[in-house]
Amino acid sequence: MLLLLLIAQGSALAAVDCFSCHDRDTFQRRVKHQPADDGECFTCHNPHVAPHEGLIKKAIPRLCFNCHEDMRDGLQQAVVHQPVRDGQCLACHHPHSSDQTGLLNARLVDTCLACHTGLPKQYKYTHQPYAQGKCSACHEAHQSDHRGLLVKEPTALCLGCHDRSALKRKHADYPGELKNCGTCHSPHGSDRKGLIRNVLHQPYADGCGDCHSGKNTPVGIDTCLNCHEDVEEQMASSHNHLVRYKENGCIACHSPHAGDDGRLLKGSDRYVCSTCHLDTFQHYDAAHYKHVKTASCADCHAPHGSNFPNMTKAPINAVCYPCHEKHSEFSHPIGEDVFDPRTQQILTCASCHAVKGTQHESHLRYDGHRALCIQCHRDI
């Protein structure tokens, strides 16, 4: 019985020993992590030596997943928050105790804005949940089945608070079912009443008649191209985004009414492009080595159309050289006089590198020590 008592008290005694060096107050804040609160330091830490900083037994997030299995299983969902995907649990959570719910390092809104620095804390007209710092009213913190980590499909999410009949009265002449609220309204805030996005499409600002010919009459792509002749020329390229012609492919990406900048995109570049190319973004996010993220997909790709493969803005080498100019002086020969023996096509940067990410250093398509070279040099 004495032996059993000593074993039962072992964790608590270990915690007492730990507190002889570690400040107990940092473990006693309002919200406590259960193992730390119970004095079970050895659940996560080895007291003598460990392979990871902080003497933790396993790398984060593997250590966290020992108990939080639901978080690990959730990684199979369509959209995973980047810190979760990268195993950065401590970017948001304190491992021992916190004054914030969920063991957050700071208030929820401050935790979110620490990474989402492009969002101001307040707008002239601010959406109430955003003004109250209730990011979780609309977004999941870890993973979701909906883009933007939304808790529901966008229209259903809005109608969870906004009465449909009241909205219909405010949109009396709206031609069709009310949906896709983000086409006109910002979910966070705006300088305009009604959370209308800041930049108005000129025909919308002048009145509906320039585009709409009558109730329930769809606005075709030809109406858009009447003004945007440059886009029509781009869409005539051999590789283009001329999709859903009968449904007006322009509004797949652009709002016909209002946006956050002159492009009138329905959201950030990543949000808009991932509507169709979600698998590309998921592959990029999961890759161990990948090209440094650019501010916009349009940095390399022509958004409407191009005569170059993958809709790049120019031949692939010309796209890479502005940033990698020095590589032209010492890299493997590439260009119009060098041909890939596998395809008989011109050898390019993309012949060896996969910018969307791989498991090999320098985002090489194969291991650079040998496997990459023998793809072409099999006689060596």
Side-chain angles (χ1 to χ4, degrees):
M1 290 181 65
L2 179 60
L3 179 62
L4 291 174
L5 180 61
L6 290 173
I7 293 174
Q9 292 179 339
S11 294
L13 289 173
V16 172
D17 290 338
C18 295
F19 288 141
S20 65
C21 294
H22 297 280
D23 184 4
R24 184 186 296 270
D25 291 341
T26 63
F27 295 77
Q28 299 297 319
R29 286 173 285 194
R30 185 175 66 87
V31 181
K32 304 174 183 64
H33 196 192
Q34 182 262 320
D37 190 36
D38 291 346
E40 299 174 352
C41 306
F42 296 165
T43 299
C44 301
H45 300 277
N46 189 309
H48 301 119
V49 64
H52 304 285
E53 186 178 357
L55 293 176
I56 58 174
K57 294 180 176 180
K58 299 179 181 178
I60 295 172
R62 288 182 59 211
L63 182 69
C64 302
F65 289 160
N66 278 346
C67 298
H68 301 282
E69 295 180 359
D70 55 329
M71 291 293 102
R72 179 188 60 204
D73 297 341
L75 293 176
Q76 305 306 313
Q77 289 184 261
V79 183
V80 180
H81 199 190
Q82 182 175 340
V84 179
R85 185 177 59 246
D86 294 344
Q88 297 176 351
C89 307
L90 302 186
C92 299
H93 300 280
H94 196 283
H96 301 124
S97 71
S98 170
D99 290 325
Q100 307 297 327
T101 302
L103 288 169
L104 291 176
N105 292 328
R107 293 188 311 149
L108 176 61
V109 64
D110 293 331
T111 300
C112 297
L113 293 181
C115 291
H116 299 280
T117 54
L119 294 174
K121 289 189 175 181
Q122 187 173 345
Y123 297 82
K124 183 176 180 180
Y125 298 97
T126 308
H127 195 196
Q128 184 176 352
Y130 186 89
Q132 296 174 346
K134 296 180 178 179
C135 306
S136 58
C138 298
H139 300 280
E140 296 284 3
H142 299 109
Q143 57 267 327
S144 170
D145 287 325
H146 307 287
R147 290 188 309 126
L149 290 168
L150 294 178
V151 298
K152 295 180 182 178
E153 182 274 329
T155 301
L157 178 62
C158 297
L159 293 175
C161 295
H162 299 280
D163 179 68
R164 185 186 289 272
S165 59
L167 291 177
K168 285 184 176 181
R169 290 193 296 271
K170 292 182 178 180
H171 299 76
D173 295 323
Y174 190 83
E177 179 186 357
L178 285 174
K179 58 182 180 179
N180 299 327
C181 310
T183 296
C184 295
H185 302 278
S186 169
H188 299 128
S190 170
D191 291 336
R192 298 180 180 277
K193 290 184 178 180
L195 300 179
I196 297 293
R197 293 184 183 272
N198 288 332
V199 180
L200 302 184
H201 192 199
Q202 194 58 49
Y204 173 70
D206 293 341
C208 305
D210 287 349
C211 299
H212 294 279
S213 58
K215 190 173 183 179
N216 296 325
T217 302
V219 178
I221 191 173
D222 291 332
T223 301
C224 301
L225 297 180
N226 283 337
C227 295
H228 301 282
E229 296 178 357
D230 57 328
V231 174
E232 182 176 20
E233 183 178 345
Q234 294 164 23
M235 283 188 170
S237 304
S238 56
H239 304 279
N240 59 66
H241 264 153
L242 191 62
V243 296
R244 290 184 277 183
Y245 184 90
K246 293 181 179 179
E247 300 177 17
N248 191 348
C250 300
I251 60 174
C253 302
H254 299 278
S255 166
H257 302 126
D260 294 325
D261 58 38
R263 299 174 301 169
L264 297 177
L265 290 176
K266 289 185 172 180
S268 67
D269 293 68
R270 180 186 173 98
Y271 182 87
V272 171
C273 296
S274 66
T275 302
C276 297
H277 302 287
L278 181 60
D279 56 338
T280 298
F281 286 94
Q282 289 176 327
H283 174 81
Y284 178 91
D285 292 337
H288 193 61
Y289 296 98
K290 49 206 171 191
H291 191 271
V292 175
K293 187 183 295 183
T294 61
S296 168
C297 302
D299 288 344
C300 300
H301 298 278
H304 298 117
S306 164
N307 288 319
F308 306 106
N310 299 313
M311 283 178 60
T312 55
K313 297 172 70 173
I316 186 64
N317 292 345
V319 172
C320 299
Y321 279 166
C323 294
H324 303 282
E325 184 177 1
K326 291 184 177 180
H327 283 66
S328 63
E329 300 174 2
F330 63 81
S331 67
H332 188 287
I334 58 176
E336 295 182 357
D337 299 327
V338 186
F339 295 90
D340 189 328
R342 299 166 296 178
T343 64
Q344 302 308 312
Q345 300 296 313
I346 293 173
L347 199 69
T348 70
C349 306
S351 301
C352 297
H353 300 278
V355 296
K356 298 301 189 296
T358 73
Q359 300 309 311
H360 307 293
E361 192 173 1
S362 299
H363 47 83
L364 294 171
R365 294 185 179 275
Y366 301 91
D367 186 291
H369 292 95
R370 181 174 183 273
L372 178 71
C373 301
I374 64 172
Q375 298 302 312
C376 296
H377 303 283
R378 295 185 177 275
D379 55 338
I380 294 179

